[in-house]
Amino acid sequence: QVKKQCDQKLLIRMKTKCVPCSLNLDTQCPAGYTKITNGTGTPDCRYYLEIKAHTLSFPGCRHRCVKEFEQPECCQGHWGPDCMGK
């Protein structure tokens, strides 16, 4: 039995929205994603507050999230929707 389908595993990375670090403890990743940072997350961003005519920028935190995704792919030498072509 020759293997016709060789699915590729992809890792999709994303970061949550930048918020004040004190509010970031309870931030969840979107459905299907796994949080890979702990506590208040990573303090590597800035968030903005508009006060009257001014926009103020503050240091903030965000979480990193990952999702594993399998992309269907045919093995070398095979093609088509069912990977039967040779």
Side-chain angles (χ1 to χ4, degrees):
Q1 178 72 26
V2 177
K3 194 172 175 198
K4 298 176 179 76
Q5 186 129 1
C6 297
D7 293 349
Q8 294 293 316
K9 273 194 179 178
L10 301 176
L11 210 55
I12 302 167
R13 300 171 191 275
M14 59 92 56
K15 294 175 182 171
T16 59
K17 200 173 94 178
C18 190
V19 296
C21 294
S22 58
L23 300 179
N24 204 35
L25 274 167
D26 298 327
T27 299
Q28 297 300 313
C29 292
Y33 283 83
T34 304
K35 194 190 290 188
I36 58 170
T37 43
N38 298 318
T40 56
T42 312
D44 66 348
C45 61
R46 298 189 76 78
Y47 67 96
Y48 301 91
L49 280 183
E50 284 185 34
I51 300 171
K52 294 186 180 169
H54 301 284
T55 301
L56 303 176
S57 167
F58 298 96
C61 291
R62 57 189 172 179
H63 283 291
R64 295 169 197 265
C65 309
V66 292
K67 179 182 188 178
E68 207 171 77
F69 176 74
E70 277 210 358
Q71 183 169 329
E73 217 166 275
C74 296
C75 298
Q76 197 171 354
H78 297 272
W79 62 87
D82 50 5
C83 299
M84 293 305 274
K86 270 193 168 180

